[in-house]
Amino acid sequence: MRANTWAGRNNVKVRDVPDPKILNNRDAIVKITSTAICGSDLHLVDGYVPTMQDGDVMGHEFMGEVVEVGSGVPLNKLRVGDRVVVPFPIACGNCGACAAELYSCCENSNPNAGIAEKMFGHPVAGIFGYSHLTGGFAGGQAQYARVPFADVGPLKIESDLTDEQVLFLSDILPTGFMGADLCDIQKTDVVAVWGAGPVGQLAMDSARVLGAAKVIAIDKEPYRLQMAERAGHTTINFDEVDVRSRLLELTGGRGPDKCIDAVGMEATHGAAHIHAYDRVKQAVRSETERPHALRQAIMSCRSGGIVSVIGVYGGFLDKFPAGAWMNRALTLRTGQCHVQRYMKPLLRRIERGEIDPTRVITHTLPLEEAERGFEIFKNKQDQCEKVVLKA
């Protein structure tokens, strides 16, 4: 089959790879109809997530048709011919973490748990197409994919909703929604979101759905800010104004009640000297993150507020503002998204028209053009916000 693969730092390549096979009786094989390029994929391409190997199949946002099912998958759970969306974390459904609906912390799905334990202190769940640190599972930017624990993960789509309407249930919609959900939003809350990429946009929409009085989008790309503005959100361009000062102006001097970091390890900063400091440290691997957005969110949030972190971080960062966090009674909440927890409720919200994930799609390309898709997405060419690939 054809698949988009990691071919070294700053290099992906569409090539022939072996077809997936049933390896465990709880597996299924899915013929992929739609997949997508995620901002998290760029961390792999940029070399900031370790343990990638040449030829690894990329991609963790995908859906399609079930073409084979292992003997251990009950027929009431999944059958050949079912149309499914596959969540990016692989979860067994039986461990303590899964019982608590902390699916991205599954204790059984990562065969390389020892590597993750060295990096994070404890193992994390397996993830499709996201390095051997998270299990080395082949991803979904391909014609077919093996789905372990298929009786737990895939969500059947039994309506006539298009792929584009439901594809992002695999990751970015639940991730954005969880970012807002972690904020315990009240009807008077002002919510600031750092990052107007796809996850940030859907976090903004989710904050509004959950009742926020005002949502503020923070980014530097005009087309991203215009997209947020068209959706009804207030915008701040951090290349033009000091973010904290502007947030104080917009909130009567208090700061946002809730702040969401939807950026993560490759953040940029409007001040060149501050950005250069972390960019150089990251480039020489003396830190793994550029934590501008996280620092700014902590310093900007009102005292007693909540900072929700859904942008991906991989290791260690410098100059974390622990004093502001502790002395001002801030609550930090975070996590890789527990996608399985949110898929069904969000599907119902899509069906009711409360959230429209399709608004972030700007480019649709065939799988064979994945290399071009990565180029325009990474370099923000042609006002690219989100790329969907058709397998």
Side-chain angles (χ1 to χ4, degrees):
M1 70 172 183
R2 300 290 281 171
N4 185 46
T5 63
W6 192 84
R9 192 175 175 194
N10 294 317
N11 190 13
V12 299
K13 185 180 297 183
V14 178
R15 48 187 160 181
D16 292 323
V17 302
D19 291 346
K21 298 178 180 179
I22 296 284
L23 301 179
N24 182 284
N25 67 0
R26 292 175 69 186
D27 288 351
I29 304 297
V30 173
K31 181 181 180 181
I32 295 166
T33 54
S34 296
T35 182
I37 300 172
C38 182
S40 299
D41 291 332
L42 299 184
H43 304 323
L44 305 177
V45 173
D46 292 343
Y48 294 123
V49 176
T51 72
M52 289 296 291
Q53 296 177 11
D54 187 20
D56 285 347
V57 179
M58 298 188 63
H60 55 269
E61 296 180 306
F62 61 96
M63 66 175 294
E65 179 185 342
V66 176
V67 294
E68 190 176 354
V69 179
S71 61
V73 180
L75 291 177
N76 66 333
K77 294 285 187 178
L78 209 64
R79 295 172 180 261
V80 170
D82 283 344
R83 182 177 176 229
V84 295
V85 178
V86 180
F88 80 81
I90 301 168
C92 74
N94 299 317
C95 67
C98 288
E101 295 191 307
L102 302 174
Y103 296 104
S104 70
C105 299
C106 177
E107 298 161 3
N108 293 324
S109 63
N110 185 351
N112 296 333
I115 301 175
E117 189 172 347
K118 290 178 182 177
M119 190 75 175
F120 303 130
H122 292 274
V124 295
I127 296 177
F128 291 102
Y130 213 76
S131 85
H132 295 264
L133 179 70
T134 58
F137 293 95
Q141 291 171 8
Q143 292 177 308
Y144 294 87
R146 179 177 78 94
V147 178
F149 301 111
D151 53 327
V152 177
L155 174 69
K156 288 192 283 188
I157 305 298
E158 298 175 296
S159 66
D160 59 358
L161 292 172
T162 66
D163 277 17
E164 287 74 12
Q165 287 175 290
V166 297
L167 171 60
F168 301 147
L169 288 168
S170 60
D171 177 5
I172 62 169
L173 177 54
T175 297
F177 189 88
M178 183 171 123
D181 189 38
L182 293 176
C183 288
D184 292 340
I185 292 172
Q186 307 300 308
K187 64 181 181 181
T188 58
D189 279 349
V190 175
V191 179
V193 180
W194 273 257
V199 170
Q201 299 279 350
L202 296 176
M204 296 170 210
D205 293 354
S206 299
R208 180 171 55 200
V209 163
L210 291 175
K214 177 184 286 188
V215 180
I216 303 170
I218 302 162
D219 206 293
K220 69 169 184 174
E221 300 298 332
Y223 73 90
R224 287 179 161 188
L225 293 171
Q226 289 164 9
M227 180 178 283
E229 196 167 22
R230 287 195 299 270
H233 308 304
T234 302
T235 61
I236 295 175
N237 186 325
F238 67 76
D239 264 356
E240 297 177 353
V241 298
D242 177 73
V243 171
R244 182 177 174 276
S245 298
R246 181 63 179 141
L247 286 171
L248 291 175
E249 290 174 6
L250 291 170
T251 57
R254 296 177 71 242
D257 301 282
K258 312 292 166 58
C259 296
I260 300 174
D261 170 5
V263 182
M265 67 169 68
E266 293 189 73
T268 57
H269 195 284
H273 65 289
I274 295 175
H275 178 67
Y277 171 86
D278 281 295
R279 183 69 187 87
V280 170
K281 289 201 71 174
Q282 190 184 48
V284 300
R285 301 301 191 265
S286 61
E287 67 173 341
T288 54
E289 334 288 326
R290 299 199 299 267
H292 308 309
L294 179 58
R295 290 185 191 130
Q296 206 168 63
I298 291 171
M299 297 303 291
S300 300
C301 191
R302 71 156 169 85
S303 295
I306 295 174
V307 177
S308 168
V309 184
I310 50 173
V312 173
Y313 290 88
F316 301 93
L317 53 83
D318 192 11
K319 292 182 170 52
F320 178 82
W325 167 45
M326 182 269 166
N327 285 289
R328 295 198 295 109
L330 297 177
T331 298
L332 266 64
R333 294 179 176 172
T334 188
Q336 286 280 10
C337 185
H338 311 300
V339 176
Q340 290 87 335
R341 181 198 301 179
Y342 294 103
M343 292 178 86
K344 287 183 180 178
L346 285 171
L347 176 60
R348 290 193 289 269
R349 289 185 183 273
I350 293 170
E351 290 171 338
R352 293 195 297 263
E354 296 175 12
I355 294 180
D356 176 19
T358 66
R359 78 173 186 85
V360 302
I361 299 172
T362 54
H363 293 73
T364 301
L365 299 171
L367 177 65
E368 287 293 329
E369 295 184 28
E371 297 169 47
R372 175 171 167 257
F374 267 82
E375 181 182 357
I376 61 177
F377 184 54
K378 174 180 169 63
N379 298 309
K380 299 180 177 65
Q381 298 172 358
D382 193 30
Q383 298 191 346
C384 181
E385 180 77 357
K386 186 69 174 179
V387 179
V388 171
L389 301 173
K390 293 293 185 177

